[in-house]
Amino acid sequence: MSPERAGRLGVGTVGAGRVGTVLASALAGAGHALTGISAVSAASVERAETMLPFVPILPVPEVVRRSELVLLAVPADELPDLVAGLAATGDWQPGQLVLHTAARFGTDVLAPARAAGAIPLAIHPAMQFTGTSLDLGRLAGTWFAVTAPAPVLPIGQALVVEMGGEPFVVAEADRPAYAEAIETAVSFSSAIVDQSAGLLGDIGAPSPGRILAPLVRSAVENALARHSPTLPDDPL
């Protein structure tokens, strides 16, 4: 298996949430063909029709059966049962790439698909998604955690690069710690902004979000700089 295997694929997406529709759109922009997407709720159907208007909305088994790369963009709690259920009904295919986007899982959760001959990949973008076209531009430079068996790791990395991201390898055993780091960053930053905005609102400050924006951005940038290595040619 070579990185070229990830070159031109028929991509099916299970889950028309904020992440699935955006990543599918990014893969289409890289030249892959979108074979179908599953959507259940009214919101997910509307999102799929908006972001991917020419992609058929299909039942999950049909999406899987007609695709060379299956993108599983579902909540982490639903992923184990979904993978096992598709294995029980014989929908996984030998040689098929199966990629999930859950932060806390590596490829062990895809064991039922792997037993059927599928090739497992775990790729998580360290980004908050809106589920709109705005996210496509934000993918550029976003870091993606990649976990995969060594022989197919280059495929996962190549897919990330095609979507505009920066891949970095996370070991199977380290995925829970990675997920905790991501969740901590998101939850704490959101909670702190909400609390600060509330205090400003209580004293009658106009547009607390606009007041806080420069402060929060500069504070976060300074904190991030302390944890980013300075390159030799970096004037800072």
Side-chain angles (χ1 to χ4, degrees):
M1 181 68 62
S2 67
E4 286 74 17
R5 176 65 171 82
R8 298 289 179 179
L9 300 169
V11 180
T13 304
V14 177
R18 296 177 180 178
V19 177
T21 51
V22 171
L23 294 189
S25 183
L27 289 169
H32 298 286
L34 302 186
T35 59
I37 187 168
S38 69
V40 178
S41 68
S44 64
V45 170
E46 181 179 2
R47 189 180 297 111
E49 290 176 343
T50 300
M51 287 288 292
L52 306 166
F54 302 108
V55 179
I57 297 175
L58 302 169
V60 172
E62 183 65 19
V63 171
V64 173
R65 285 194 293 266
R66 62 165 58 190
S67 304
E68 297 169 284
L69 166 62
V70 180
L71 172 62
L72 301 177
V74 299
D77 291 342
E78 299 176 12
L79 185 60
D81 288 343
L82 173 64
V83 176
L86 289 167
T89 53
D91 291 309
W92 298 121
Q93 304 165 40
Q96 186 177 51
L97 295 170
V98 182
L99 183 162
H100 79 73
T101 62
R104 75 170 184 252
F105 292 121
T107 57
D108 283 352
V109 72
L110 299 175
R114 189 174 187 177
I119 299 167
L121 303 167
I123 296 177
H124 177 265
M127 186 182 111
Q128 284 281 283
F129 286 76
T130 65
T132 68
S133 58
L134 291 174
D135 293 333
L136 293 173
R138 294 170 180 167
L139 285 177
T142 291
W143 290 85
F144 285 63
V146 181
T147 305
V152 296
L153 187 60
I155 297 177
Q157 293 168 317
L159 288 167
V160 169
V161 171
E162 286 187 335
M163 288 186 282
E166 298 284 347
F168 71 103
V169 178
V170 176
E172 183 79 31
D174 292 334
R175 291 292 290 217
Y178 165 76
E180 183 179 358
I182 296 300
E183 177 60 28
T184 299
V186 172
S187 60
F188 272 77
S189 57
S190 297
I192 289 169
V193 169
D194 289 343
Q195 182 178 2
S196 298
L199 291 170
L200 288 176
D202 290 342
I203 64 171
S207 303
R210 295 179 65 184
I211 293 172
L212 289 171
L215 171 67
V216 172
R217 290 192 185 109
S218 59
V220 169
E221 287 171 0
N222 290 340
L224 292 172
R226 293 196 295 271
H227 298 278
S228 301
T230 302
L231 299 177
D233 59 350
D234 190 333
L236 299 178

